[in-house]
Amino acid sequence: MPPKKRAKKDGGSDDVKMEDAPLTGSSKSNNNRGNDQTDGGREEGSGPSELFGSNNDQGNDQGGKEGKEGGVSSQIPPKEKKPDPRTQTLRRYEALLENRFVWQDGKPEPFANLRGDDTVSTPVEWEILEERTRNELLERRKNCSPTPEGTEGEIFSVDFEWRERRVHCETFTNVDLSLPNPFTNSAILAEVDRKLADWDNQHPKVHQKLVQLVAAKKATDKAFENSEALISEAVSMIRSRNPNEWEDMQKDYDAVLKKKVKDFPLPAEYKKRYDSVQRAWKDWSRQDETTDKKRNNDRNRYASDKTNNILRRPSYNGDCNAIYVAFDNSDKMIIFLDPEGIQTAYDGNILDQMKRDACDFYFLKEPNPGGNKRHISQSDHMMRNRKLKPWQCGSDHYGHWHPQAHENGPIIETADSHEKVTATQKQLLLQFLSNTGGCMTRLLDFWFGVWERDLRLRYRNIYRDSPEFARLPPTNRGHDETYCLRVSVCNRPTDYHRDHKDIEGGLVGLVQISDFEGAAMCMNQLGIALDGYKDGAALLFRGTEIYHYISDWTGDFRYAFDHTTHSSVGKAVELHRETGKLAEPKDDKKSGKRKRSPSPEAEEGEEEEH
């Protein structure tokens, strides 16, 4: 289903942009926040006419008066009036507002195949079903003989069938989620690097510190003027040299750090220009052509290409539509993927409806095109996907969080669901989240409860105790809300990163509704690329622990919806629960924050959001 073409601003179609659409008095207020939209819109015929009166009624009253004054027994027909353009506009916008993204038959209950003839409606009954599902899967897994996978000797798999579905489980015997760095004892990443050695030799890595050194040394030239040009020239010089020559350059750099600049000409001038290069470097290194970032993206593109046989593609005898579950050495779930998550929980018609709504919503409300470092390869991605237009690509954040660099400040609603949207767009967003978003949430909530019920309770308590004025309303009536933040990634690539702002040890939930080929979820630390992460897929994994990225994809559209909660929100809520304070000054040196696995290619350029 290709997305619609953007409507012209002067068009008269109902499919118009909603930036300036007014909210009428008959529309629901934002205080109701979309909770009542699930059961359908208002009855036909209500709307602007109730506010402004009927033109015919006004004419009849006027005609009756004229008849009496003239002594004529019959009424004089009223003069026909032209339709009020304002009334017509309000009527059209109200119809769009009240009925768009609202499913008239309501949202279906998920997992009819698991519920069977049992009545499952209360939270307790759903928890019983979750526990039964978990026990069934673990019992089937226990009764199978494990088979070695890969060449590292630390992966074992089992295959079995469960309720007419195929299931492929893997255990990573040297991965331990209880450790600060779960991959300390694993050799999988080293094996991936070994397979990429030939590529690395052909594409020498640029060391940022050495670039700074070379640029600073060249800055002693009196002809020095342009810092950015100087840095670019230094990058080219570094890339042209043999890596074996870098040792001497590193010694020079160390000498500079110790302020041993006497061997350089014009020490004072050198210091001045060196500082200038450092300032220019800060701005320059944020761009697409940063020293190692683009190279690392190219490296991961090569690794994720299945024809190069770098990453494994877990499957059930070649069937990537099988459910995939990965465990650590203590049987703690690392990854859960159901490639047919929506189709299994509901049916194909619901998936089609969700895809139509997503395309319509992001036609009426364009995604935020703001750039960040998890999507710096977007320009290359657009070159490979000529069908995509810039206005179709972006990322929106819906929910509540702490703004970047204000983790000790107040919790606020995200700008994409607050000040960056009009009242009409906000109402449409709430209706979209209540229906399409609500079905996604129920799907992820269920599997979250199957594998990590206690952790899910912590997430729910954080949402419940967050400030009511900041949080969005629950997406499903009668069910506790789990996640505080949703991120829609629209038609973008996703580069190598870790979800470092999310709850440590938590589970990020993703759902894709798309029309594309490719976009495997890749995790080099586990040596895998999940081809089953496709249209309708539901995925849960440890986003704070595992570096991940999406392989190349082509197609008409791809919408990925991330569900998460930021760690700072959880800490603030728990602090308020214990002390009544909203926040307290943070001392990073004393915070005891867990150290992560070293990955300079990702850590150096991580940005703040999903």
Side-chain angles (χ1 to χ4, degrees), residues 480-511:
D480 293 333
E481 192 73 9
T482 299
Y483 294 104
C484 294
L485 182 66
R486 289 170 176 81
V487 187
S488 62
V489 180
C490 304
N491 298 314
R492 294 188 118 168
T494 301
D495 301 330
Y496 190 84
H497 72 285
R498 176 177 61 83
D499 302 326
H500 68 293
K501 280 188 172 282
D502 294 355
I503 291 178
E504 292 183 357
L507 287 173
V508 60
L510 295 94
V511 175

Side-chain angles (χ1 to χ4, degrees), residues 56 190 246 295 332 408:
N56 291 334
W246 289 349
R295 174 189 180 275
K332 196 172 185 66
N408 293 318

Side-chain angles (χ1 to χ4, degrees), residues 381-420:
H381 174 69
M382 296 287 288
M383 291 293 292
R384 294 189 295 271
N385 291 267
R386 297 284 185 172
K387 292 181 181 179
L388 294 177
K389 306 301 180 186
W391 64 269
Q392 297 173 321
C393 306
S395 303
D396 282 355
H397 299 72
Y398 310 131
H400 59 278
W401 62 4
H402 287 105
Q404 183 186 11
H406 293 278
E407 286 78 6
N408 293 318
I411 298 172
I412 64 172
E413 186 175 347
T414 60
D416 290 333
S417 59
H418 186 47
E419 65 254 30
K420 287 187 179 179

Side-chain angles (χ1 to χ4, degrees), residues 13 61 85 112 147 161 307 311 325 336 364 424 461 531 539 558:
S13 167
D61 291 343
T147 302
E161 294 188 3
T307 62
L311 301 179
V325 193
F336 171 83
L364 296 172
T424 301
N461 289 341
D531 291 325
L539 173 66
R558 173 180 174 267

Side-chain angles (χ1 to χ4, degrees), residues 233-527:
E233 184 179 344
V235 170
S236 299
M237 176 181 175
I238 292 290
R239 283 183 170 151
S240 66
R241 296 187 63 164
N242 189 315
N244 294 332
E245 300 177 43
W246 289 349
E247 184 175 350
D248 292 338
M249 298 172 65
Q250 185 65 52
K251 292 178 180 178
D252 288 343
Y253 181 78
D254 293 338
V256 171
L257 291 183
K258 296 176 182 177
K259 298 181 180 180
K260 294 180 179 179
V261 296
K262 60 183 180 180
D263 297 332
F264 298 98
L266 305 174
E269 186 68 15
Y270 166 79
K271 182 68 167 61
K272 178 180 176 181
R273 291 177 176 177
Y274 180 82
D275 291 342
S276 176
V277 169
Q278 299 300 304
R279 289 192 298 271
W281 173 264
K282 278 189 175 180
D283 293 332
W284 185 84
S285 64
R286 295 192 183 102
Q287 307 305 313
D288 290 2
E289 295 295 327
T290 51
T291 54
D292 291 337
K293 188 72 173 179
K294 188 176 187 306
R295 174 189 180 275
N296 291 334
N297 286 339
D298 292 341
R299 185 177 190 263
N300 287 325
R301 284 185 59 208
Y302 180 85
S304 62
D305 187 336
K306 64 175 61 178
T307 62
N308 296 322
N309 296 319
I310 304 296
L311 301 179
R312 288 189 308 109
R313 328 300 270 209
S315 66
Y316 185 113
N317 293 330
D319 181 9
C320 65
N321 290 324
I323 293 173
Y324 175 73
V325 193
F327 299 91
D328 75 347
N329 57 10
S330 300
D331 283 346
K332 196 172 185 66
M333 188 270 283
I334 306 172
I335 306 168
F336 171 83
L337 170 65
D338 185 353
E340 299 176 346
I342 296 175
Q343 301 94 312
T344 300
Y346 303 100
D347 57 45
N349 293 331
I350 293 299
L351 176 59
D352 290 341
Q353 180 65 53
M354 294 168 73
K355 290 164 75 170
R356 283 193 296 270
D357 281 359
C359 288
D360 284 348
F361 180 76
Y362 289 108
F363 167 76
L364 296 172
K365 192 273 173 199
E366 296 173 7
N368 184 352
N372 56 53
K373 292 182 179 177
R374 291 186 189 177
H375 311 288
I376 70 163
S377 61
Q378 181 162 315
S379 57
D380 294 338
H381 174 69
M382 296 287 288
M383 291 293 292
R384 294 189 295 271
N385 291 267
R386 297 284 185 172
K387 292 181 181 179
L388 294 177
K389 306 301 180 186
W391 64 269
Q392 297 173 321
C393 306
S395 303
D396 282 355
H397 299 72
Y398 310 131
H400 59 278
W401 62 4
H402 287 105
Q404 183 186 11
H406 293 278
E407 286 78 6
N408 293 318
I411 298 172
I412 64 172
E413 186 175 347
T414 60
D416 290 333
S417 59
H418 186 47
E419 65 254 30
K420 287 187 179 179
V421 292
T422 66
T424 301
Q425 289 174 330
K426 177 63 171 285
Q427 189 67 17
L428 288 173
L429 170 63
L430 295 176
Q431 289 167 193
F432 177 72
L433 292 179
S434 178
N435 290 271
T436 295
C439 285
M440 295 181 190
T441 302
R442 290 290 302 278
L443 168 60
L444 294 172
D445 273 357
F446 177 80
W447 289 112
F448 202 145
V450 167
W451 300 111
E452 288 281 1
R453 183 181 299 174
D454 291 341
L455 180 61
R456 184 183 65 179
L457 178 61
R458 182 188 173 200
Y459 274 66
R460 289 180 170 180
N461 289 341
I462 291 172
Y463 172 88
R464 182 199 63 200
D465 295 339
S466 294
E468 188 173 358
F469 64 83
R471 70 188 188 205
L472 289 178
T475 54
N476 294 288
R477 267 190 276 173
H479 296 271
D480 293 333
E481 192 73 9
T482 299
Y483 294 104
C484 294
L485 182 66
R486 289 170 176 81
V487 187
S488 62
V489 180
C490 304
N491 298 314
R492 294 188 118 168
T494 301
D495 301 330
Y496 190 84
H497 72 285
R498 176 177 61 83
D499 302 326
H500 68 293
K501 280 188 172 282
D502 294 355
I503 291 178
E504 292 183 357
L507 287 173
V508 60
L510 295 94
V511 175
Q512 280 199 117
I513 46 179
S514 316
D515 182 5
F516 67 92
E517 293 182 0
M521 173 62 74
C522 303
M523 303 173 181
N524 291 0
Q525 289 165 302
L526 297 175

